Amino acid sequence: MSTAPSIEPARTKRGETSRAAIFGAALELFQERGYEATTMRAIAERAGVSLGSSYHYFASKEHLVLGFYRHTHELHLAATAPLLERERDFAARLRDVVRAVVVTCEPFHDFAGAIFSTVANPSSPLNPFGRESKALRDEVMQLYSDVMSGSDTRFPADIAHELPTRLWLYQMGILYFWIFDRSPGRLRTLEVIDGTTDLIVRLISIANLHLLRGSRKRILQLVRNIAGGSLTA
Amino acid sequence: MSTAPSIEPARTKRGETSRAAIFGAALELFQERGYEATTMRAIAERAGVSLGSSYHYFASKEHLVLGFYRHTHELHLAATAPLLERERDFAARLRDVVRAVVVTCEPFHDFAGAIFSTVANPSSPLNPFGRESKALRDEVMQLYSDVMSGSDTRFPADIAHELPTRLWLYQMGILYFWIFDRSPGRLRTLEVIDGTTDLIVRLISIANLHLLRGSRKRILQLVRNIAGGSLTA
DNA sequence: AGTTGGACTTGAACATGTTCACGTTCACGT
DNA sequence: ACGTGAACGTGAACATGTTCAAGTCCAACT
């Protein structure tokens, strides 16, 4: 039942060099020409390896995208670290972390759409809910877990347990909106972030205040249905 | 500024025959083998035309998908017509129309994911928000407009004007959820539909009751931001 | 009847993601 | 030193979406 490792790790120093060269070349070319215009042959050529060698490390062109996702996530982590060190207000932490997502990804906006569509295929194990992206997904959820636990807000147990998953999903939604956003300075996305994070914080407050207990149960179950069902493992 | 017609209409009786044969063959093969496993050569062969001829009518394999979308929409219309004739309660109309979407699309569930991902590319004019899908999008919105206007509920002007767009977006969301739903009988999707349509109806009621006027304005603006920005034309 | 222009048709050619059978390198045990 | 096997590397070959220059058909006009 172990997962087939479609992204082969390098097991040699030489191998690690090749792997890094291929991934670096892909990263450069994706930015220079976009996803579709970048051919595997061009990647191999710039990396200084043969076409076949690329497939030794990355099972497909899509698998290179997963590496790209990880790359942006690490940028995102680096960008938010000082903020999470300093700020204690939950609303501010959440809002600024989500803002940082779109700021971090901004250089890739032009081809983010192409990347999204290749990875959105539910039949691919690379899709956001799928097996091969689980590790990265867990890391993103961990970030939002830190957003919560590092704040001065206390959360009820059920919400504390489930919110990171929902916030990961929420971040995906924001990214999807951002992909389509053509407003100058991506202002519209930033507005939506402010509005939705504010809404989220308010809804959590209402839950905390033990108001609307009846509705709360129903709505929580609905959210559970929506966000909880599709994850692999 | 006129749109380039990437799906060529037939201008001859003979042409119309070919066009229908190609589309019919594509529809059959998509169902038999899925989207990716269906080659343009296989479509042309079953349709009894040459490979090149297919491209005379459909600019790309993706454009055949747009036709497929239209096909399912017409199935959906046919399935909901008697219901909309009879039922007058808005909540019931909305819920059953959305339920009918997933019931209608059920035979295509296996390859709906592949189709979705090819059409989700924001840089493609075929994406749900894009130019080439506008006609179909308008028809779906018209359906939801009928769901509203045929009911015994009266809507405030601003909501009456904007709700069809939001319900179209909502239907897209439900379909996306349905694509990933592997529960038996697609029960989870049906539950989500019941829960969300109920929620929508309640929110509208609250708006109608002139409660929460302050929040209403802010939330409406938020929804406007989210749902209103990306549509082409 | 003859001409013409455009719709329609064709299949070869092309580009590119992917596979594969085979060659090379190298650390390690003997 | 030598053999071994796994990791790594290679490029030709394949499948398939797409393009294109050229051919065929047909209705309308002269």
Side-chain angles (χ1 to χ4, degrees), chain B residues 3-166:
Chain B
T3 75
S6 319
I7 299 188
E8 289 289 341
R11 265 161 277 200
T12 301
K13 190 163 296 182
R14 183 179 171 220
E16 187 46 50
T17 306
S18 295
R19 191 183 206 292
I22 292 164
F23 179 64
L27 212 59
E28 287 176 20
L29 287 168
F30 285 163
Q31 289 195 59
E32 287 176 23
R33 313 180 188 176
Y35 178 73
E36 278 148 8
T38 298
T39 69
M40 292 298 285
R41 285 166 180 81
I43 293 172
E45 187 179 6
R46 180 168 299 195
V49 303
S50 74
L51 177 60
S53 226
S54 305
Y55 284 91
H56 183 74
Y57 296 99
F58 300 92
S60 74
K61 194 179 174 185
E62 288 185 24
H63 282 80
L64 281 164
V65 171
L66 192 57
F68 171 77
Y69 271 171
R70 177 166 296 283
H71 178 69
T72 60
H73 174 62
E74 273 151 22
L75 291 179
H76 185 220
L77 277 187
T80 53
L83 170 90
L84 294 178
E85 196 67 37
R86 161 174 23 98
E87 179 65 59
R88 285 289 160 259
D89 177 63
F90 174 66
R93 288 167 70 91
L94 179 61
R95 189 196 59 213
D96 291 349
V97 164
V98 179
R99 278 181 173 177
V101 172
V102 306
V103 173
T104 301
C105 294
E106 189 55 39
F108 316 117
H109 187 268
D110 283 348
F111 67 101
I115 283 182
F116 171 82
S117 88
T118 55
V119 177
N121 192 333
S123 51
S124 155
L126 279 175
N127 84 67
F129 308 95
R131 173 161 39 86
E132 306 225 24
S133 49
K134 178 177 189 311
L136 183 53
R137 192 170 64 231
D138 286 344
E139 287 180 41
V140 174
M141 284 167 47
Q142 180 59 52
L143 170 61
Y144 284 105
S145 188
D146 293 346
V147 168
M148 295 170 66
S149 63
S151 79
D152 49 22
T153 303
R154 301 266 59 79
F155 299 91
D158 53 354
I159 287 184
H161 181 252
E162 298 181 11
L163 196 54
T165 311
R166 279 45 167 175

